[in-house]
Amino acid sequence: MHDDRSHVQARLRRFTRERLEPAVHPEFHPLRVEHWSVPDEPVPFAEAVDREYEPTPAGWTWGRAWSSTWFRLSGRLPEGWSPQHTEIVCDLGFTADRPGFQVEGLAYRPDGSILKAVSPRGHHLPLDADAGDDLTLYVEAAANPDVAGEWTFAATPLGDKLTSGEGPLYSLGAIGFVRRDETAWELLQDIQVLSGLLGELPQDSPRHHTIVRGLERMLDVVDPDDVAATAALARETIAPLLASPAHASSHRIVAVGHAHIDSAWLWPTRETIRKVARTFANALELMQRHPEFVFAASSAQQYAWLEQYQPALFARVREQVQAGRFVPVGGMWVESDTNMPGGESMIRQFLHGKRFFRERLGVETEEVWLPDSFGYSAALPQIVRGTGNRWFLTQKLSWSQVNQLPHHTFWWEGIDGTRVFTHLPPADTYNSELTPAELLHTERNFKDAGAATTSLVPFGYGDGGGGPTREMLAAAERSRDLEGLPRVEIAAPTRFFTDAEAEYADAPVWAGEMYLELHRGTYTSQLRTKQGNRRSEQLLHEAELWSATAAIRTGEPYPYAELRRAWENVLLLQFHDILPGSSIAWVHREAERDHARIRDELTVLIDRSVAALVGAGSTELVANPMPLPGSGVDAFAIGTPAATAAAATWERRPDGGLVVDNGVLRAVVDARGLVVSLVDAVSGREAVARGGAANRLVLHRDTPNEWDAWDIDDHYRRNATPLDAGAPESLDAVTGDDGSVTVVVVRSFGASRVAQRLTLAPGAPALDLELTIDWHECQKLLKLYVDIDVHADVTAAETQFGHVHRVTHENTSWEAARFEFCAHRWVHVGEPGYGVAVANDSTHGHDARRTPRPGGGRSTTLGMSLIRAPRFPDPVADQGTHTLRVALRPNAGIRHAVAEGYRLNRPARPVVGDHTAAALFAVRSETVVAETVKLADDESGDVILRLYESAGGRGSVSVTALFDAAGCERTDLLERATGDAQDASAATLELRPFEIVTLRYRPAAHEDVEAPRS
């Protein structure tokens, strides 16, 4: 036989394009269209329905960026048409590409009930079965601009309605009744699957030949001039091709209906609220027509929005949740970043998220669902298991530039040894359309084949929402058991995880962080957002501490509702495109506003609680929110500050530099304004590497290959401009009223200016560095380098409830790819017997490299990424003035690094009152830290104390309750009892390395109104 397969396929493509696709909707009848343009922000249906609507001409150009327009569609069903075979097309001006990144709409019936959404690849609206001849619908259309464009990452003003312009973006397309030929549509779905499979099969395979000839027979049978009359016969002709079963050894895919909706990204949160309604409405409409369909959605915040803004739709969702078809997953308040939030924040993501799902929807989630976050902290497994979860899912690691994890299904082991069963979908997407190409990629790509047989594929349009479509469900139905493809079953994630864990209980282990070899710039972009998060976290700790102490000591009401609102706002702002700095200007403008409001609200709570504790008076006191003594005051207590040590001194060097000394630490600043020597009195050892400095500023070119706000590419290191080439603009020393000495170094570069304030306080073991940066650069990266005279093979960088060791060499591709890493409040660089701690108050991006040492050996250079200037998606990211703080402590161990991190981030608060106030607990340990004191989330009045082992070794701790406690027990991280009772007055615990322990104390009764003195 002559090989004419390419001709058959060309014939098939043209027939599909020119004959079959038009036959699906053979007749069109226009509807009357009227509109009302919303003047500003979106309004609810009840307000929009009563407005005056204007006639809308065909092809009307409408919609300035970020505006909303309501369309009223009305008409009479054409004579002879039935609702069962009619639907409405509503083209608001869609383009086929990038669903979820452009105009979208939500259709309402006249009574205000929601029908479904219209979107670029789903702009049909069904008619109700009992619809009469006359129809009226309202469509709320959102003129969201396509900020992404062609993904060129060019600067755009579209990311904020303040700069996006007034011109219209969209032109209306066809809006009207269409008669739907169901048989033609089903034939189209048959052909899509078979032709897609044909493109993936080896051309010399029997199955390839069989499909070609079967499709050829179908083309001979169907009449292109009368598709409607011959479509059924055409389907019969190719039915055997679709009935041939999959091979017995075929891979099994659990397909989960899904729509990853970014809680903010290239749109603000106000638009996400509407995206959730549109996507959930689509899912509910599919459930009505497809009994097998199951839809999974994460993020309690998004359900909470739905309940607040669309309560009727939320009620419908809740019904389907109870039926097991609408499946809440993830258990978190949002799909957060996991690199930068503090440990307590990660716990609260689950505490608030799981509480909402349990109380409002009646479900207990067991899987963590983070398909798109930018890498995963090594502390997560313990937090995941401690909050009642069994499984973990992500796919983002498939984006790594260099190395791929060797497994798709495995046990992930955290820093404390806890393991969680984990799956990375080998489909390499959370937006699958279930095409044969995607299904076969999943099967071929599965790294655990042979030992395991099953993987999970999330399908549906995501990022901007939309979710699954009827075409995807048709593809799933045809791929259920089809020769040449893996078997596909639509089910909930629980089905996959239960089966996979049972089949592969001895799966391999991946230990440590799951580092994404991409998006390393997210540790630095949008500094104000990151500073707001760090400060909000610490204020929440402090507000809970003093509120709990006041509640127990004085009976002051605990502000449950206020704290809950603040936490949930902060948790939202930790979403993986907000905290990482990868959203549009509008999002970050609102984040900065929200953090400022949270600061003010929490400050009111703190002031109120502290006032209740210390009473009215004029005595100067210090409230110490740290878990360590500070300013002469016990941890978590309010006391009288200790007398300060002898004042620091300074003198001018002959070269114009300065020497600063406080008897504990001696720093030398040369004429260039560089700290070239830092020696502590105890060891007498030099901390600064020979020929180096402890405060070098270097300006790097920062032009990533793509993904501006997300990426720092390693070539930035090859273009560096030191800012210390000459003398600074000024170099002065100032003695403070508290006996401290501050050296002020000012430099200008480009269009920017930086002032370094180097402060040595009386008796302080650390040199504090405050940087005020007036930043006006473009695509530049400013780094602070600390040259440390330490021979370090690894660094220790703080993460949630512990730290992670990272090597300083690049022996392998894995190590070379980790050229920028995330740290929380400190990094420790050490060798046996000596180390240096570098703490910060808002910096996350770091690098550490070994450097040849003059005279032999090597030293270590720690780099801190202070600020960036990406152009996309926010063209003015980080412009303006910023202030950051860093502390350098020589002769430091891990416990000193921990202490410096707390000192910079939880500073003592000066207060005035009548008397001191004792802490609720005395915690005695070398390495176990009391992280959190609060009242229990269930509003029982019980007191929660959270501790963790901080050094990475076995830790012993003695905890004494300094109030009358009637009982004490250990709980999980959600404060639920584990059955492990403890001594209520004095508990002694042994913790494994990095273990987190939560203790719950039941107060016997409130104490006297006057607080005990510390």
Side-chain angles (χ1 to χ4, degrees):
M1 178 182 293
H2 297 296
D3 187 359
D4 61 350
R5 287 175 293 174
S6 63
H7 302 293
V8 174
Q9 290 174 272
R11 178 186 175 194
L12 177 69
R13 287 191 294 270
R14 184 168 184 182
F15 164 76
T16 302
R17 180 179 66 250
E18 295 184 0
R19 305 297 182 134
L20 181 54
E21 289 177 356
V24 173
H25 290 145
E27 293 182 70
F28 172 82
H29 185 84
L31 285 164
R32 174 180 171 82
V33 181
E34 301 165 285
H35 73 273
W36 170 64
S37 297
V38 183
D40 190 22
E41 285 295 282
V43 301
F45 173 84
E47 181 176 341
V49 73
D50 290 333
R51 296 291 180 166
E52 292 292 331
Y53 282 70
E54 302 175 26
T56 308
W60 180 55
T61 301
W62 68 282
R64 72 183 186 279
W66 304 114
S67 69
S68 296
T69 297
W70 284 81
F71 292 99
R72 182 164 62 198
L73 317 181
S74 57
R76 186 173 182 81
L77 198 65
E79 188 72 28
W81 290 28
S82 67
Q84 291 81 4
H85 298 96
T86 303
E87 60 188 16
I88 294 168
V89 293
C90 182
D91 183 354
L92 300 174
F94 305 119
T95 59
D97 292 335
R98 290 185 294 282
F101 292 81
Q102 53 178 287
V103 57
E104 300 170 69
L106 184 62
Y108 292 77
R109 301 179 182 90
D111 63 1
S113 61
I114 290 174
L115 183 57
K116 70 176 286 289
V118 286
S119 56
R121 298 184 187 175
H123 46 272
H124 69 281
L125 294 170
L127 297 185
D128 293 329
D130 58 352
D133 290 341
D134 293 310
L135 174 134
T136 300
L137 291 176
Y138 292 84
V139 177
E140 181 193 26
N144 300 332
D146 185 359
V147 177
E150 298 299 323
W151 294 112
T152 61
F153 309 103
T156 172
L158 292 175
D160 197 328
K161 69 174 184 176
L162 301 179
T163 60
S164 56
E166 296 294 324
L169 299 179
Y170 297 104
S171 297
L172 290 183
I175 298 178
F177 292 115
V178 288
R179 192 166 59 80
R180 175 178 164 85
D181 187 324
E182 190 68 30
T183 305
W185 184 86
E186 294 286 356
L187 176 60
L188 178 61
Q189 308 315 306
D190 294 343
I191 290 174
Q192 298 284 19
V193 169
L194 289 173
S195 61
L197 176 57
L198 198 61
E200 297 298 313
L201 291 170
Q203 291 202 7
D204 58 354
S205 67
R207 178 67 165 159
H208 187 278
H209 287 278
T210 301
I211 292 174
V212 170
R213 296 307 157 201
L215 290 171
E216 184 178 40
R217 287 191 295 274
M218 181 273 298
L219 289 168
D220 290 341
V221 165
V222 69
D223 184 350
D225 295 323
D226 194 357
V227 172
T230 54
L233 180 59
R235 294 199 71 206
E236 290 178 15
T237 303
I238 57 175
L241 300 177
L242 293 164
S244 182
H247 296 301
S249 59
S250 293
H251 186 65
R252 175 181 170 231
I253 290 175
V254 175
V256 178
H258 178 53
H260 172 68
I261 305 176
D262 286 305
S263 292
W265 180 27
L266 303 183
W267 45 87
T269 53
R270 74 94 146 128
E271 196 53 39
T272 310
I273 293 168
R274 300 199 291 178
K275 285 177 176 287
V276 170
R278 292 189 286 256
T279 300
F280 285 16
N282 283 348
L284 292 169
E285 195 272 336
L286 281 176
M287 287 175 188
Q288 291 179 345
R289 302 170 190 278
H290 299 272
E292 79 284 2
F293 178 54
V294 175
F295 181 76
S298 71
S299 303
Q301 171 69 88
Q302 296 185 2
Y303 291 83
W305 279 331
L306 192 72
E307 184 176 28
Q308 178 181 355
Y309 294 100
Q310 297 285 1
L313 191 61
F314 179 80
R316 291 169 57 194
V317 167
R318 185 160 47 198
E319 289 177 2
Q320 293 303 321
V321 169
Q322 297 306 309
R325 301 185 62 198
F326 202 115
V327 184
V329 293
M332 300 175 72
W333 190 249
V334 296
E335 291 183 13
S336 75
D337 178 74
T338 76
N339 289 311
M340 291 173 285
E344 196 63 33
S345 291
M346 292 308 307
I347 291 173
R348 303 303 175 92
Q349 285 285 352
F350 291 102
L351 188 145
H352 288 254
K354 296 191 77 154
R355 178 183 59 214
F356 183 93
F357 286 147
R358 187 169 55 249
E359 293 179 356
R360 305 301 302 135
L361 295 171
V363 296
E364 183 77 24
T365 58
E366 292 189 294
E367 69 291 297
V368 178
W369 189 272
L370 288 173
D372 194 34
S373 298
F374 309 148
Y376 305 93
S377 155
L380 268 183
Q382 182 178 192
I383 296 171
V384 166
R385 296 304 298 266
T387 51
N389 301 287
R390 296 175 57 188
W391 307 304
F392 188 93
L393 178 138
T394 179
Q395 72 84 43
K396 194 66 175 185
L397 295 179
S398 67
W399 286 43
S400 284
Q401 291 173 312
V402 181
N403 304 285
Q404 293 292 318
L405 259 64
H407 322 292
H408 281 112
T409 303
F410 55 95
W411 291 98
W412 179 23
E413 181 178 286
I415 55 175
D416 73 310
T418 298
R419 294 179 178 179
V420 59
F421 193 75
T422 299
H423 184 64
L424 277 60
D428 292 342
T429 180
Y430 50 77
N431 292 326
S432 174
E433 299 176 43
L434 299 182
T435 64
E438 291 172 331
L439 298 177
L440 285 168
H441 173 76
T442 297
E443 182 175 69
R444 296 162 182 160
N445 190 42
F446 186 52
K447 294 184 173 71
D448 300 282
T453 64
T454 307
S455 65
L456 182 150
V457 173
F459 72 95
Y461 296 124
D463 294 314
T469 64
R470 57 189 180 184
E471 288 77 15
M472 295 176 194
L473 295 184
E477 178 186 0
R478 287 157 176 79
S479 305
R480 186 189 308 274
D481 187 13
L482 182 61
E483 182 185 358
L485 290 178
R487 288 185 172 84
V488 176
E489 172 191 6
I490 294 178
T494 300
R495 169 72 69 83
F496 162 76
F497 278 112
T498 301
D499 293 353
E501 188 174 5
E503 174 188 59
Y504 203 26
D506 60 345
V509 176
W510 179 267
E513 68 181 327
M514 290 198 288
Y515 178 89
L516 177 65
E517 296 175 1
L518 194 71
H519 294 357
R520 304 167 185 88
T522 58
Y523 310 147
T524 305
S525 295
Q526 297 287 3
L527 176 57
R528 292 186 189 89
T529 298
K530 290 174 170 59
Q531 290 183 318
N533 176 73
R534 184 78 71 88
R535 189 62 179 142
S536 292
E537 286 183 326
Q538 305 312 329
L539 286 170
L540 278 162
H541 276 277
E542 197 175 351
E544 289 182 334
L545 167 67
W546 302 128
S547 295
T549 306
I552 297 300
R553 297 293 192 212
T554 74
E556 178 77 11
Y558 190 80
Y560 291 103
E562 295 96 324
L563 288 170
R564 179 175 296 184
R565 283 195 300 270
W567 265 115
E568 289 176 355
N569 200 166
V570 170
L571 297 177
L572 166 62
L573 296 174
Q574 291 173 346
F575 177 73
H576 67 252
D577 276 308
I578 302 179
L579 181 55
S582 48
S583 288
I584 56 175
W586 188 344
V587 172
H588 291 288
R589 173 166 53 82
E590 290 191 336
E592 292 165 24
R593 176 205 65 194
D594 288 353
H595 280 304
R597 177 180 47 76
I598 291 165
R599 177 199 62 211
D600 293 343
E601 292 173 353
L602 293 177
T603 299
V604 169
L605 298 183
I606 292 167
D607 290 346
R608 187 171 71 201
S609 299
V610 169
L613 285 165
V614 301
S618 58
T619 303
E620 293 185 357
L621 303 168
V622 168
N624 177 19
M626 294 194 301
L628 307 165
S631 302
V633 179
D634 290 341
F636 299 153
I638 303 174
T640 304
T644 58
T649 62
W650 68 275
E651 61 180 0
R652 182 76 65 174
R653 297 175 64 191
D655 66 354
L658 299 160
V659 178
V660 184
D661 197 328
N662 67 355
V664 176
L665 196 60
R666 180 179 184 271
V668 177
V669 181
D670 71 7
R672 299 169 297 168
L674 295 178
V675 178
V676 294
S677 177
L678 196 60
V679 178
D680 70 285
V682 173
S683 73
R685 175 170 166 171
E686 178 60 70
V688 180
R690 187 182 304 174
N695 65 328
R696 288 192 297 116
L697 290 173
V698 178
L699 190 67
H700 293 273
R701 181 191 297 163
D702 184 18
T703 53
N705 300 335
E706 50 187 0
W707 299 105
D708 265 32
W710 293 258
D711 286 356
I712 291 176
D713 289 330
D714 62 353
H715 55 73
Y716 87 88
R717 296 184 287 188
R718 297 195 291 273
N719 191 285
T721 302
L723 300 185
D724 55 11
E729 287 183 18
S730 63
L731 173 60
D732 297 301
V734 179
T735 301
D737 293 339
D738 61 352
S740 64
V741 171
T742 298
V743 177
V744 182
V745 185
V746 178
R747 305 180 192 279
S748 293
F749 56 95
S752 303
R753 192 168 186 263
V754 60
Q756 297 186 22
R757 297 175 59 86
L758 299 148
T759 299
L760 190 57
L767 178 68
D768 286 349
L769 168 58
E770 182 182 88
L771 300 104
T772 299
I773 307 167
D774 187 19
W775 182 248
H776 300 283
E777 303 306 305
C778 180
Q779 291 192 305
K780 295 292 190 292
L781 167 64
L782 181 63
K783 297 203 71 155
L784 171 69
Y785 288 102
V786 184
D787 300 314
I788 303 170
D789 197 13
V790 165
H791 179 107
D793 292 320
V794 298
T795 63
E798 190 192 32
T799 188
Q800 296 95 352
F801 301 111
H803 56 265
V804 175
H805 287 109
R806 296 186 175 94
V807 299
T808 58
H809 60 75
E810 298 182 352
N811 284 359
T812 71
S813 60
W814 294 86
E815 292 144 357
R818 198 178 279 110
F819 57 81
E820 184 88 354
F821 62 82
C822 183
H824 282 208
R825 294 169 294 196
W826 55 265
V827 174
H828 181 265
V829 180
E831 61 186 34
Y834 184 86
V836 174
V838 182
N840 72 83
D841 76 342
S842 54
T843 298
H844 297 87
H846 294 74
D847 70 277
R849 283 175 281 172
R850 49 185 62 197
T851 305
R853 184 177 184 274
R858 58 176 165 82
S859 57
T860 306
T861 295
L862 179 69
M864 306 178 71
S865 297
L866 302 180
I867 193 166
R868 302 184 66 215
R871 299 186 304 167
F872 179 88
D874 177 5
V876 294
D878 281 320
Q879 300 299 299
T881 302
H882 311 264
T883 299
L884 311 88
R885 296 179 68 209
V886 174
L888 310 173
R889 181 164 176 170
N891 194 23
I894 293 293
R895 66 188 181 92
H896 303 113
V898 171
E900 289 302 317
Y902 278 111
R903 181 179 68 85
L904 277 191
N905 288 275
R906 292 196 202 172
R909 180 179 294 270
V911 299
V912 176
D914 177 67
H915 53 262
T916 63
L920 292 180
F921 299 97
V923 179
R924 296 177 178 84
S925 175
E926 288 293 316
T927 65
V928 176
V929 176
E931 172 69 8
T932 298
V933 176
K934 62 185 286 285
L935 293 196
D937 191 62
D938 62 7
E939 303 189 17
S940 62
D942 290 355
V943 183
I944 299 298
L945 173 65
R946 183 129 45 228
L947 312 108
Y948 72 99
E949 198 289 314
S950 66
R954 303 284 169 173
S956 177
V957 61
S958 171
V959 181
T960 302
L962 303 179
F963 61 96
D964 189 7
C968 173
E969 59 185 343
R970 288 183 66 159
T971 72
D972 66 5
L973 297 181
L974 299 183
E975 304 170 11
R976 301 180 296 198
T978 60
D980 185 0
Q982 300 291 321
D983 188 327
S985 58
T988 300
L989 302 168
E990 298 291 330
L991 276 65
R992 67 177 184 271
F994 300 127
E995 183 179 8
I996 309 166
V997 169
T998 306
L999 298 177
R1000 181 174 183 137
Y1001 288 81
R1002 188 173 69 257
H1006 288 302
E1007 301 188 4
D1008 296 336
V1009 172
E1010 181 177 327
R1013 315 293 173 88
S1014 63

